[in-house]
Amino acid sequence: MDINLTLIIEGLAFFAVVLLVMKYGWPLFMAAIEERQKRIAEGLAAAERARAELRDADARVAEEIKAARLQAAEIIDRAQHQANLLLDKAREDAVTEMQRQKVAAETEIAAATVRAREELSARVGELVLAGASKILQREVDASTHRQLLDELAAEI
Amino acid sequence: MSGSAEQTAGGGMTEYIHHHLHNLQWQVGAGPFWIINIDTVAITLLLMAIFLGVFILAARRASAGVPGRFQAFVEMVVVGIDEMVRETFHGSSKLIAPLALTIFVLVFMMNFMDLLPVDLLPWLGREAGLPYLRVVPTADLNTTLGMALTVFALIQYFGLKHKGPRLFFKEMFTAPFHAHGFMVIVLAPVNLLLRLIEEAVRPISLSLRLFGNMFAGELIFILIATMTLGASLAHGLTYVMGPVQFLSDFVWTAFHILIITLQAFIFMMLTVVYLSMASEQH
């Protein structure tokens, strides 16, 4: 129960333990804990950043899709327009061609008519001549009546 | 207790108690002061070695990665004390948190020796040839006063360091009673006296509080142990006192778990408070 030398030994031993803990134990623990806290904070920040980036990417994707859809609609519109144009042009071409053919055919017909008429008139002259010679029972001198024959043919 | 059977019951009990409260001593010099309580010192050093070994090993292994169970447990104590110190002590000091941790864990471990069966270690000691063995270092006033005086020295060191020598000594004469002019000289001795009392009371109250609690706790364990002292199966009373002893021992042990933790915490907390008071300016 009495105070004796033990007091000094205990006091010094206690102080030595405090110094050892302060020097070799405590800082290591604090360093480890602070390092871990830093890592956790960094991890959380990184997760937050990633989430924000994901949100951005999502928005960008939606925007892109919207733009693509608009563009597709525009392309379809333009294609339709083009198709209409092509159709119109084809129709026009067809009509032109038809008219050209018609004109050609009419010209042909007209030419054929003229030719036929000429041929016919020539033949008519001959027939008339033949008929007349028959009637007259004699040879009509073609060269003598050439003028008359020609006038006749032209009349016909 | 050899020979207690031949003595009267009262004499046996007195001797038993006296024996349990006697330190294993070594007279190193002349006079009552030059004695070392070998049991107190040996058990203290043993506990300190265990504490330092475990703590420094844990600290060396501490990694910033995912902590294991052991590391998590030690970190729980370390972080708890660190936060408590930060709340109480508004300065920066490398010493104060490790000091608080050391006080709490060491005092707890020393107090915990009280929960070991009161006769176990003395009996082993007697078998090993030691005439006396007291196992609770904090039930020895030398331990508690030694720690309290170390704390006292640290308080003065903190005061000098944080206030500077001029303010430190000036405060001794000017606080708590502030005055102007002539009254400063009149109040100076009063202030000095109050300061000296205040400073002296701290280590005394710190050490006596812990010592008193532990000594009383140990004494009650000893008294509970005397219930069946020298009992034999031939006596009817043994069959009554046995269960009573078991029950009271159980209750007191359970209660004592609270006391030893609380006392360790109080010692630590008061130290931190004293140190923060010493480093703050009035």
mmCIF file with all atom_site columns, all heavy atoms in Angstrom, chain A residues 2-7 10-11 26 29-30 35-36, chain B residues 33 35 37 44 63-65 71 75 82 142-143 146 150:
data_model
loop_
_atom_site.group_PDB
_atom_site.id
_atom_site.type_symbol
_atom_site.label_atom_id
_atom_site.label_alt_id
_atom_site.label_comp_id
_atom_site.label_asym_id
_atom_site.label_entity_id
_atom_site.label_seq_id
_atom_site.pdbx_PDB_ins_code
_atom_site.Cartn_x
_atom_site.Cartn_y
_atom_site.Cartn_z
_atom_site.occupancy
_atom_site.B_iso_or_equiv
_atom_site.pdbx_formal_charge
_atom_site.auth_seq_id
_atom_site.auth_comp_id
_atom_site.auth_asym_id
_atom_site.auth_atom_id
_atom_site.pdbx_PDB_model_num
ATOM 1   N N   . ASP A 1 2   ? 2.110   1.127  0.455   1.00 0.00 ? 2   ASP A N   1
ATOM 2   C CA  . ASP A 1 2   ? 2.927   2.337  0.603   1.00 0.00 ? 2   ASP A CA  1
ATOM 3   C C   . ASP A 1 2   ? 3.517   2.762  -0.732  1.00 0.00 ? 2   ASP A C   1
ATOM 4   O O   . ASP A 1 2   ? 3.725   1.950  -1.611  1.00 0.00 ? 2   ASP A O   1
ATOM 5   C CB  . ASP A 1 2   ? 4.078   2.068  1.590   1.00 0.00 ? 2   ASP A CB  1
ATOM 6   C CG  . ASP A 1 2   ? 3.532   1.570  2.919   1.00 0.00 ? 2   ASP A CG  1
ATOM 7   O OD1 . ASP A 1 2   ? 2.555   2.163  3.384   1.00 0.00 ? 2   ASP A OD1 1
ATOM 8   O OD2 . ASP A 1 2   ? 4.086   0.580  3.447   1.00 0.00 ? 2   ASP A OD2 1
ATOM 9   N N   . ILE A 1 3   ? 3.775   4.055  -0.806  1.00 0.00 ? 3   ILE A N   1
ATOM 10  C CA  . ILE A 1 3   ? 4.448   4.578  -2.003  1.00 0.00 ? 3   ILE A CA  1
ATOM 11  C C   . ILE A 1 3   ? 5.909   4.172  -1.918  1.00 0.00 ? 3   ILE A C   1
ATOM 12  O O   . ILE A 1 3   ? 6.567   4.368  -0.893  1.00 0.00 ? 3   ILE A O   1
ATOM 13  C CB  . ILE A 1 3   ? 4.324   6.109  -2.024  1.00 0.00 ? 3   ILE A CB  1
ATOM 14  C CG1 . ILE A 1 3   ? 2.862   6.527  -2.168  1.00 0.00 ? 3   ILE A CG1 1
ATOM 15  C CG2 . ILE A 1 3   ? 5.170   6.693  -3.140  1.00 0.00 ? 3   ILE A CG2 1
ATOM 16  C CD1 . ILE A 1 3   ? 2.216   6.055  -3.430  1.00 0.00 ? 3   ILE A CD1 1
ATOM 17  N N   . ASN A 1 4   ? 6.402   3.583  -2.985  1.00 0.00 ? 4   ASN A N   1
ATOM 18  C CA  . ASN A 1 4   ? 7.812   3.220  -3.010  1.00 0.00 ? 4   ASN A CA  1
ATOM 19  C C   . ASN A 1 4   ? 8.367   3.341  -4.411  1.00 0.00 ? 4   ASN A C   1
ATOM 20  O O   . ASN A 1 4   ? 7.741   3.948  -5.290  1.00 0.00 ? 4   ASN A O   1
ATOM 21  C CB  . ASN A 1 4   ? 8.020   1.817  -2.416  1.00 0.00 ? 4   ASN A CB  1
ATOM 22  C CG  . ASN A 1 4   ? 7.180   0.782  -3.126  1.00 0.00 ? 4   ASN A CG  1
ATOM 23  O OD1 . ASN A 1 4   ? 6.936   0.898  -4.313  1.00 0.00 ? 4   ASN A OD1 1
ATOM 24  N ND2 . ASN A 1 4   ? 6.729   -0.235 -2.382  1.00 0.00 ? 4   ASN A ND2 1
ATOM 25  N N   . LEU A 1 5   ? 9.487   2.744  -4.636  1.00 0.00 ? 5   LEU A N   1
ATOM 26  C CA  . LEU A 1 5   ? 10.193  2.861  -5.904  1.00 0.00 ? 5   LEU A CA  1
ATOM 27  C C   . LEU A 1 5   ? 9.358   2.407  -7.099  1.00 0.00 ? 5   LEU A C   1
ATOM 28  O O   . LEU A 1 5   ? 9.565   2.856  -8.230  1.00 0.00 ? 5   LEU A O   1
ATOM 29  C CB  . LEU A 1 5   ? 11.489  2.033  -5.826  1.00 0.00 ? 5   LEU A CB  1
ATOM 30  C CG  . LEU A 1 5   ? 12.553  2.266  -6.891  1.00 0.00 ? 5   LEU A CG  1
ATOM 31  C CD1 . LEU A 1 5   ? 12.950  3.732  -6.920  1.00 0.00 ? 5   LEU A CD1 1
ATOM 32  C CD2 . LEU A 1 5   ? 13.767  1.408  -6.603  1.00 0.00 ? 5   LEU A CD2 1
ATOM 33  N N   . THR A 1 6   ? 8.386   1.523  -6.835  1.00 0.00 ? 6   THR A N   1
ATOM 34  C CA  . THR A 1 6   ? 7.498   1.035  -7.899  1.00 0.00 ? 6   THR A CA  1
ATOM 35  C C   . THR A 1 6   ? 6.860   2.197  -8.651  1.00 0.00 ? 6   THR A C   1
ATOM 36  O O   . THR A 1 6   ? 6.681   2.129  -9.874  1.00 0.00 ? 6   THR A O   1
ATOM 37  C CB  . THR A 1 6   ? 6.382   0.183  -7.260  1.00 0.00 ? 6   THR A CB  1
ATOM 38  O OG1 . THR A 1 6   ? 6.974   -0.684 -6.311  1.00 0.00 ? 6   THR A OG1 1
ATOM 39  C CG2 . THR A 1 6   ? 5.668   -0.634 -8.312  1.00 0.00 ? 6   THR A CG2 1
ATOM 40  N N   . LEU A 1 7   ? 6.536   3.267  -7.903  1.00 0.00 ? 7   LEU A N   1
ATOM 41  C CA  . LEU A 1 7   ? 5.903   4.453  -8.490  1.00 0.00 ? 7   LEU A CA  1
ATOM 42  C C   . LEU A 1 7   ? 6.705   4.967  -9.683  1.00 0.00 ? 7   LEU A C   1
ATOM 43  O O   . LEU A 1 7   ? 6.157   5.191  -10.762 1.00 0.00 ? 7   LEU A O   1
ATOM 44  C CB  . LEU A 1 7   ? 5.816   5.534  -7.403  1.00 0.00 ? 7   LEU A CB  1
ATOM 45  C CG  . LEU A 1 7   ? 5.379   6.913  -7.859  1.00 0.00 ? 7   LEU A CG  1
ATOM 46  C CD1 . LEU A 1 7   ? 3.880   6.985  -7.862  1.00 0.00 ? 7   LEU A CD1 1
ATOM 47  C CD2 . LEU A 1 7   ? 5.950   7.969  -6.934  1.00 0.00 ? 7   LEU A CD2 1
ATOM 48  N N   . GLU A 1 10  ? 6.806   2.439  -12.597 1.00 0.00 ? 10  GLU A N   1
ATOM 49  C CA  . GLU A 1 10  ? 5.536   2.386  -13.324 1.00 0.00 ? 10  GLU A CA  1
ATOM 50  C C   . GLU A 1 10  ? 5.342   3.630  -14.196 1.00 0.00 ? 10  GLU A C   1
ATOM 51  O O   . GLU A 1 10  ? 4.909   3.534  -15.338 1.00 0.00 ? 10  GLU A O   1
ATOM 52  C CB  . GLU A 1 10  ? 4.368   2.264  -12.348 1.00 0.00 ? 10  GLU A CB  1
ATOM 53  C CG  . GLU A 1 10  ? 4.333   0.960  -11.583 1.00 0.00 ? 10  GLU A CG  1
ATOM 54  C CD  . GLU A 1 10  ? 3.825   -0.183 -12.429 1.00 0.00 ? 10  GLU A CD  1
ATOM 55  O OE1 . GLU A 1 10  ? 2.660   -0.152 -12.838 1.00 0.00 ? 10  GLU A OE1 1
ATOM 56  O OE2 . GLU A 1 10  ? 4.612   -1.103 -12.684 1.00 0.00 ? 10  GLU A OE2 1
ATOM 57  N N   . GLY A 1 11  ? 5.666   4.796  -13.613 1.00 0.00 ? 11  GLY A N   1
ATOM 58  C CA  . GLY A 1 11  ? 5.510   6.038  -14.358 1.00 0.00 ? 11  GLY A CA  1
ATOM 59  C C   . GLY A 1 11  ? 6.376   6.042  -15.611 1.00 0.00 ? 11  GLY A C   1
ATOM 60  O O   . GLY A 1 11  ? 5.908   6.371  -16.708 1.00 0.00 ? 11  GLY A O   1
ATOM 61  N N   . TRP A 1 26  ? 0.872   4.464  -33.904 1.00 0.00 ? 26  TRP A N   1
ATOM 62  C CA  . TRP A 1 26  ? -0.202  5.387  -34.281 1.00 0.00 ? 26  TRP A CA  1
ATOM 63  C C   . TRP A 1 26  ? -0.073  5.932  -35.702 1.00 0.00 ? 26  TRP A C   1
ATOM 64  O O   . TRP A 1 26  ? -1.047  5.872  -36.476 1.00 0.00 ? 26  TRP A O   1
ATOM 65  C CB  . TRP A 1 26  ? -0.259  6.521  -33.260 1.00 0.00 ? 26  TRP A CB  1
ATOM 66  C CG  . TRP A 1 26  ? -1.475  7.341  -33.379 1.00 0.00 ? 26  TRP A CG  1
ATOM 67  C CD1 . TRP A 1 26  ? -1.622  8.480  -34.094 1.00 0.00 ? 26  TRP A CD1 1
ATOM 68  C CD2 . TRP A 1 26  ? -2.745  7.067  -32.792 1.00 0.00 ? 26  TRP A CD2 1
ATOM 69  N NE1 . TRP A 1 26  ? -2.897  8.948  -33.989 1.00 0.00 ? 26  TRP A NE1 1
ATOM 70  C CE2 . TRP A 1 26  ? -3.602  8.097  -33.184 1.00 0.00 ? 26  TRP A CE2 1
ATOM 71  C CE3 . TRP A 1 26  ? -3.230  6.055  -31.973 1.00 0.00 ? 26  TRP A CE3 1
ATOM 72  C CZ2 . TRP A 1 26  ? -4.926  8.147  -32.789 1.00 0.00 ? 26  TRP A CZ2 1
ATOM 73  C CZ3 . TRP A 1 26  ? -4.550  6.111  -31.571 1.00 0.00 ? 26  TRP A CZ3 1
ATOM 74  C CH2 . TRP A 1 26  ? -5.376  7.143  -31.991 1.00 0.00 ? 26  TRP A CH2 1
ATOM 75  N N   . PHE A 1 29  ? -1.125  3.500  -38.438 1.00 0.00 ? 29  PHE A N   1
ATOM 76  C CA  . PHE A 1 29  ? -2.580  3.310  -38.510 1.00 0.00 ? 29  PHE A CA  1
ATOM 77  C C   . PHE A 1 29  ? -3.241  4.497  -39.180 1.00 0.00 ? 29  PHE A C   1
ATOM 78  O O   . PHE A 1 29  ? -4.069  4.355  -40.076 1.00 0.00 ? 29  PHE A O   1
ATOM 79  C CB  . PHE A 1 29  ? -3.157  3.150  -37.103 1.00 0.00 ? 29  PHE A CB  1
ATOM 80  C CG  . PHE A 1 29  ? -3.363  1.730  -36.755 1.00 0.00 ? 29  PHE A CG  1
ATOM 81  C CD1 . PHE A 1 29  ? -2.618  1.133  -35.756 1.00 0.00 ? 29  PHE A CD1 1
ATOM 82  C CD2 . PHE A 1 29  ? -4.276  0.957  -37.437 1.00 0.00 ? 29  PHE A CD2 1
ATOM 83  C CE1 . PHE A 1 29  ? -2.787  -0.188 -35.445 1.00 0.00 ? 29  PHE A CE1 1
ATOM 84  C CE2 . PHE A 1 29  ? -4.443  -0.357 -37.132 1.00 0.00 ? 29  PHE A CE2 1
ATOM 85  C CZ  . PHE A 1 29  ? -3.705  -0.933 -36.130 1.00 0.00 ? 29  PHE A CZ  1
ATOM 86  N N   . MET A 1 30  ? -2.840  5.688  -38.746 1.00 0.00 ? 30  MET A N   1
ATOM 87  C CA  . MET A 1 30  ? -3.477  6.882  -39.296 1.00 0.00 ? 30  MET A CA  1
ATOM 88  C C   . MET A 1 30  ? -3.211  6.968  -40.795 1.00 0.00 ? 30  MET A C   1
ATOM 89  O O   . MET A 1 30  ? -4.103  7.313  -41.571 1.00 0.00 ? 30  MET A O   1
ATOM 90  C CB  . MET A 1 30  ? -2.935  8.137  -38.581 1.00 0.00 ? 30  MET A CB  1
ATOM 91  C CG  . MET A 1 30  ? -3.604  8.372  -37.253 1.00 0.00 ? 30  MET A CG  1
ATOM 92  S SD  . MET A 1 30  ? -5.181  7.671  -37.296 1.00 0.00 ? 30  MET A SD  1
ATOM 93  C CE  . MET A 1 30  ? -6.232  8.402  -36.329 1.00 0.00 ? 30  MET A CE  1
ATOM 94  N N   . GLU A 1 35  ? -5.249  6.918  -46.030 1.00 0.00 ? 35  GLU A N   1
ATOM 95  C CA  . GLU A 1 35  ? -5.071  6.442  -47.404 1.00 0.00 ? 35  GLU A CA  1
ATOM 96  C C   . GLU A 1 35  ? -6.352  5.772  -47.903 1.00 0.00 ? 35  GLU A C   1
ATOM 97  O O   . GLU A 1 35  ? -6.820  6.004  -49.019 1.00 0.00 ? 35  GLU A O   1
ATOM 98  C CB  . GLU A 1 35  ? -3.896  5.453  -47.440 1.00 0.00 ? 35  GLU A CB  1
ATOM 99  C CG  . GLU A 1 35  ? -3.721  4.712  -48.752 1.00 0.00 ? 35  GLU A CG  1
ATOM 100 C CD  . GLU A 1 35  ? -3.235  5.602  -49.878 1.00 0.00 ? 35  GLU A CD  1
ATOM 101 O OE1 . GLU A 1 35  ? -2.655  6.649  -49.571 1.00 0.00 ? 35  GLU A OE1 1
ATOM 102 O OE2 . GLU A 1 35  ? -3.471  5.258  -51.047 1.00 0.00 ? 35  GLU A OE2 1
ATOM 103 N N   . ARG A 1 36  ? -6.943  4.942  -46.994 1.00 0.00 ? 36  ARG A N   1
ATOM 104 C CA  . ARG A 1 36  ? -8.168  4.246  -47.393 1.00 0.00 ? 36  ARG A CA  1
ATOM 105 C C   . ARG A 1 36  ? -9.297  5.244  -47.621 1.00 0.00 ? 36  ARG A C   1
ATOM 106 O O   . ARG A 1 36  ? -10.055 5.131  -48.575 1.00 0.00 ? 36  ARG A O   1
ATOM 107 C CB  . ARG A 1 36  ? -8.569  3.231  -46.329 1.00 0.00 ? 36  ARG A CB  1
ATOM 108 C CG  . ARG A 1 36  ? -9.702  2.344  -46.824 1.00 0.00 ? 36  ARG A CG  1
ATOM 109 C CD  . ARG A 1 36  ? -10.114 1.316  -45.812 1.00 0.00 ? 36  ARG A CD  1
ATOM 110 N NE  . ARG A 1 36  ? -8.980  0.650  -45.240 1.00 0.00 ? 36  ARG A NE  1
ATOM 111 C CZ  . ARG A 1 36  ? -8.777  0.540  -43.928 1.00 0.00 ? 36  ARG A CZ  1
ATOM 112 N NH1 . ARG A 1 36  ? -9.637  1.046  -43.092 1.00 0.00 ? 36  ARG A NH1 1
ATOM 113 N NH2 . ARG A 1 36  ? -7.720  -0.066 -43.469 1.00 0.00 ? 36  ARG A NH2 1
ATOM 114 N N   . PHE B 2 33  ? 11.067  3.611  1.172   1.00 0.00 ? 33  PHE B N   1
ATOM 115 C CA  . PHE B 2 33  ? 10.855  3.982  -0.234  1.00 0.00 ? 33  PHE B CA  1
ATOM 116 C C   . PHE B 2 33  ? 11.574  3.039  -1.192  1.00 0.00 ? 33  PHE B C   1
ATOM 117 O O   . PHE B 2 33  ? 11.111  2.803  -2.294  1.00 0.00 ? 33  PHE B O   1
ATOM 118 C CB  . PHE B 2 33  ? 11.322  5.417  -0.482  1.00 0.00 ? 33  PHE B CB  1
ATOM 119 C CG  . PHE B 2 33  ? 11.084  5.875  -1.893  1.00 0.00 ? 33  PHE B CG  1
ATOM 120 C CD1 . PHE B 2 33  ? 9.806   6.219  -2.321  1.00 0.00 ? 33  PHE B CD1 1
ATOM 121 C CD2 . PHE B 2 33  ? 12.125  5.930  -2.821  1.00 0.00 ? 33  PHE B CD2 1
ATOM 122 C CE1 . PHE B 2 33  ? 9.574   6.610  -3.618  1.00 0.00 ? 33  PHE B CE1 1
ATOM 123 C CE2 . PHE B 2 33  ? 11.896  6.314  -4.134  1.00 0.00 ? 33  PHE B CE2 1
ATOM 124 C CZ  . PHE B 2 33  ? 10.619  6.666  -4.518  1.00 0.00 ? 33  PHE B CZ  1
ATOM 125 N N   . ILE B 2 35  ? 11.806  0.126  -2.105  1.00 0.00 ? 35  ILE B N   1
ATOM 126 C CA  . ILE B 2 35  ? 11.209  -1.202 -2.256  1.00 0.00 ? 35  ILE B CA  1
ATOM 127 C C   . ILE B 2 35  ? 10.562  -1.256 -3.640  1.00 0.00 ? 35  ILE B C   1
ATOM 128 O O   . ILE B 2 35  ? 9.987   -0.257 -4.085  1.00 0.00 ? 35  ILE B O   1
ATOM 129 C CB  . ILE B 2 35  ? 10.134  -1.460 -1.166  1.00 0.00 ? 35  ILE B CB  1
ATOM 130 C CG1 . ILE B 2 35  ? 10.780  -1.481 0.217   1.00 0.00 ? 35  ILE B CG1 1
ATOM 131 C CG2 . ILE B 2 35  ? 9.365   -2.750 -1.442  1.00 0.00 ? 35  ILE B CG2 1
ATOM 132 C CD1 . ILE B 2 35  ? 9.804   -1.536 1.355   1.00 0.00 ? 35  ILE B CD1 1
ATOM 133 N N   . ASN B 2 37  ? 7.711   -3.304 -5.820  1.00 0.00 ? 37  ASN B N   1
ATOM 134 C CA  . ASN B 2 37  ? 6.646   -4.317 -5.826  1.00 0.00 ? 37  ASN B CA  1
ATOM 135 C C   . ASN B 2 37  ? 6.806   -5.158 -7.093  1.00 0.00 ? 37  ASN B C   1
ATOM 136 O O   . ASN B 2 37  ? 6.341   -4.793 -8.164  1.00 0.00 ? 37  ASN B O   1
ATOM 137 C CB  . ASN B 2 37  ? 5.267   -3.659 -5.813  1.00 0.00 ? 37  ASN B CB  1
ATOM 138 C CG  . ASN B 2 37  ? 5.026   -2.906 -4.521  1.00 0.00 ? 37  ASN B CG  1
ATOM 139 O OD1 . ASN B 2 37  ? 5.750   -3.096 -3.529  1.00 0.00 ? 37  ASN B OD1 1
ATOM 140 N ND2 . ASN B 2 37  ? 4.029   -2.057 -4.526  1.00 0.00 ? 37  ASN B ND2 1
ATOM 141 N N   . THR B 2 44  ? 2.618   -5.468 -14.932 1.00 0.00 ? 44  THR B N   1
ATOM 142 C CA  . THR B 2 44  ? 2.501   -4.277 -15.780 1.00 0.00 ? 44  THR B CA  1
ATOM 143 C C   . THR B 2 44  ? 3.340   -4.425 -17.037 1.00 0.00 ? 44  THR B C   1
ATOM 144 O O   . THR B 2 44  ? 2.871   -4.179 -18.158 1.00 0.00 ? 44  THR B O   1
ATOM 145 C CB  . THR B 2 44  ? 2.961   -3.026 -15.006 1.00 0.00 ? 44  THR B CB  1
ATOM 146 O OG1 . THR B 2 44  ? 2.233   -2.949 -13.799 1.00 0.00 ? 44  THR B OG1 1
ATOM 147 C CG2 . THR B 2 44  ? 2.731   -1.779 -15.826 1.00 0.00 ? 44  THR B CG2 1
ATOM 148 N N   . SER B 2 63  ? -2.983  -2.051 -43.729 1.00 0.00 ? 63  SER B N   1
ATOM 149 C CA  . SER B 2 63  ? -2.913  -1.677 -45.136 1.00 0.00 ? 63  SER B CA  1
ATOM 150 C C   . SER B 2 63  ? -4.119  -0.820 -45.461 1.00 0.00 ? 63  SER B C   1
ATOM 151 O O   . SER B 2 63  ? -5.126  -0.859 -44.769 1.00 0.00 ? 63  SER B O   1
ATOM 152 C CB  . SER B 2 63  ? -2.917  -2.922 -46.012 1.00 0.00 ? 63  SER B CB  1
ATOM 153 O OG  . SER B 2 63  ? -4.183  -3.518 -45.963 1.00 0.00 ? 63  SER B OG  1
ATOM 154 N N   . ALA B 2 64  ? -3.977  -0.061 -46.525 1.00 0.00 ? 64  ALA B N   1
ATOM 155 C CA  . ALA B 2 64  ? -5.073  0.823  -46.903 1.00 0.00 ? 64  ALA B CA  1
ATOM 156 C C   . ALA B 2 64  ? -6.176  0.067  -47.651 1.00 0.00 ? 64  ALA B C   1
ATOM 157 O O   . ALA B 2 64  ? -7.207  0.623  -47.948 1.00 0.00 ? 64  ALA B O   1
ATOM 158 C CB  . ALA B 2 64  ? -4.556  1.964  -47.763 1.00 0.00 ? 64  ALA B CB  1
ATOM 159 N N   . GLY B 2 65  ? -5.914  -1.210 -47.921 1.00 0.00 ? 65  GLY B N   1
ATOM 160 C CA  . GLY B 2 65  ? -6.919  -2.001 -48.631 1.00 0.00 ? 65  GLY B CA  1
ATOM 161 C C   . GLY B 2 65  ? -8.051  -2.413 -47.707 1.00 0.00 ? 65  GLY B C   1
ATOM 162 O O   . GLY B 2 65  ? -8.276  -1.796 -46.672 1.00 0.00 ? 65  GLY B O   1
ATOM 163 N N   . GLN B 2 71  ? -7.488  -6.246 -38.038 1.00 0.00 ? 71  GLN B N   1
ATOM 164 C CA  . GLN B 2 71  ? -7.188  -4.841 -38.322 1.00 0.00 ? 71  GLN B CA  1
ATOM 165 C C   . GLN B 2 71  ? -8.420  -3.972 -38.089 1.00 0.00 ? 71  GLN B C   1
ATOM 166 O O   . GLN B 2 71  ? -8.325  -2.870 -37.551 1.00 0.00 ? 71  GLN B O   1
ATOM 167 C CB  . GLN B 2 71  ? -6.702  -4.704 -39.760 1.00 0.00 ? 71  GLN B CB  1
ATOM 168 C CG  . GLN B 2 71  ? -6.050  -3.345 -40.016 1.00 0.00 ? 71  GLN B CG  1
ATOM 169 C CD  . GLN B 2 71  ? -5.754  -3.141 -41.480 1.00 0.00 ? 71  GLN B CD  1
ATOM 170 O OE1 . GLN B 2 71  ? -5.568  -4.084 -42.225 1.00 0.00 ? 71  GLN B OE1 1
ATOM 171 N NE2 . GLN B 2 71  ? -5.713  -1.892 -41.895 1.00 0.00 ? 71  GLN B NE2 1
ATOM 172 N N   . GLU B 2 75  ? -8.561  -0.927 -35.592 1.00 0.00 ? 75  GLU B N   1
ATOM 173 C CA  . GLU B 2 75  ? -8.876  0.385  -36.183 1.00 0.00 ? 75  GLU B CA  1
ATOM 174 C C   . GLU B 2 75  ? -10.107 1.000  -35.546 1.00 0.00 ? 75  GLU B C   1
ATOM 175 O O   . GLU B 2 75  ? -10.202 2.216  -35.410 1.00 0.00 ? 75  GLU B O   1
ATOM 176 C CB  . GLU B 2 75  ? -9.103  0.239  -37.689 1.00 0.00 ? 75  GLU B CB  1
ATOM 177 C CG  . GLU B 2 75  ? -7.824  0.329  -38.473 1.00 0.00 ? 75  GLU B CG  1
ATOM 178 C CD  . GLU B 2 75  ? -8.073  0.311  -39.960 1.00 0.00 ? 75  GLU B CD  1
ATOM 179 O OE1 . GLU B 2 75  ? -9.219  0.529  -40.369 1.00 0.00 ? 75  GLU B OE1 1
ATOM 180 O OE2 . GLU B 2 75  ? -7.114  0.060  -40.695 1.00 0.00 ? 75  GLU B OE2 1
ATOM 181 N N   . ASP B 2 82  ? -9.432  8.477  -31.627 1.00 0.00 ? 82  ASP B N   1
ATOM 182 C CA  . ASP B 2 82  ? -8.988  9.628  -32.412 1.00 0.00 ? 82  ASP B CA  1
ATOM 183 C C   . ASP B 2 82  ? -10.109 10.659 -32.535 1.00 0.00 ? 82  ASP B C   1
ATOM 184 O O   . ASP B 2 82  ? -9.893  11.863 -32.352 1.00 0.00 ? 82  ASP B O   1
ATOM 185 C CB  . ASP B 2 82  ? -8.547  9.149  -33.800 1.00 0.00 ? 82  ASP B CB  1
ATOM 186 C CG  . ASP B 2 82  ? -7.879  10.263 -34.582 1.00 0.00 ? 82  ASP B CG  1
ATOM 187 O OD1 . ASP B 2 82  ? -6.960  10.888 -34.025 1.00 0.00 ? 82  ASP B OD1 1
ATOM 188 O OD2 . ASP B 2 82  ? -8.281  10.513 -35.720 1.00 0.00 ? 82  ASP B OD2 1
ATOM 189 N N   . ASN B 2 142 ? 0.899   2.734  -6.362  1.00 0.00 ? 142 ASN B N   1
ATOM 190 C CA  . ASN B 2 142 ? 2.110   3.128  -7.088  1.00 0.00 ? 142 ASN B CA  1
ATOM 191 C C   . ASN B 2 142 ? 1.859   3.228  -8.592  1.00 0.00 ? 142 ASN B C   1
ATOM 192 O O   . ASN B 2 142 ? 2.363   4.131  -9.250  1.00 0.00 ? 142 ASN B O   1
ATOM 193 C CB  . ASN B 2 142 ? 3.221   2.104  -6.845  1.00 0.00 ? 142 ASN B CB  1
ATOM 194 C CG  . ASN B 2 142 ? 3.740   2.191  -5.439  1.00 0.00 ? 142 ASN B CG  1
ATOM 195 O OD1 . ASN B 2 142 ? 4.219   3.235  -5.014  1.00 0.00 ? 142 ASN B OD1 1
ATOM 196 N ND2 . ASN B 2 142 ? 3.613   1.111  -4.690  1.00 0.00 ? 142 ASN B ND2 1
ATOM 197 N N   . THR B 2 143 ? 1.097   2.275  -9.113  1.00 0.00 ? 143 THR B N   1
ATOM 198 C CA  . THR B 2 143 ? 0.830   2.281  -10.561 1.00 0.00 ? 143 THR B CA  1
ATOM 199 C C   . THR B 2 143 ? -0.002  3.491  -10.942 1.00 0.00 ? 143 THR B C   1
ATOM 200 O O   . THR B 2 143 ? 0.355   4.249  -11.850 1.00 0.00 ? 143 THR B O   1
ATOM 201 C CB  . THR B 2 143 ? 0.062   1.012  -10.959 1.00 0.00 ? 143 THR B CB  1
ATOM 202 O OG1 . THR B 2 143 ? 0.812   -0.104 -10.512 1.00 0.00 ? 143 THR B OG1 1
ATOM 203 C CG2 . THR B 2 143 ? -0.123  0.927  -12.444 1.00 0.00 ? 143 THR B CG2 1
ATOM 204 N N   . GLY B 2 146 ? 1.835   6.685  -10.366 1.00 0.00 ? 146 GLY B N   1
ATOM 205 C CA  . GLY B 2 146 ? 2.914   6.813  -11.345 1.00 0.00 ? 146 GLY B CA  1
ATOM 206 C C   . GLY B 2 146 ? 2.390   7.307  -12.681 1.00 0.00 ? 146 GLY B C   1
ATOM 207 O O   . GLY B 2 146 ? 2.944   8.232  -13.284 1.00 0.00 ? 146 GLY B O   1
ATOM 208 N N   . THR B 2 150 ? 2.937   11.033 -14.471 1.00 0.00 ? 150 THR B N   1
ATOM 209 C CA  . THR B 2 150 ? 3.387   11.197 -15.864 1.00 0.00 ? 150 THR B CA  1
ATOM 210 C C   . THR B 2 150 ? 2.442   12.140 -16.600 1.00 0.00 ? 150 THR B C   1
ATOM 211 O O   . THR B 2 150 ? 2.878   13.046 -17.319 1.00 0.00 ? 150 THR B O   1
ATOM 212 C CB  . THR B 2 150 ? 3.408   9.834  -16.572 1.00 0.00 ? 150 THR B CB  1
ATOM 213 O OG1 . THR B 2 150 ? 4.238   8.953  -15.818 1.00 0.00 ? 150 THR B OG1 1
ATOM 214 C CG2 . THR B 2 150 ? 3.961   9.944  -17.971 1.00 0.00 ? 150 THR B CG2 1
#
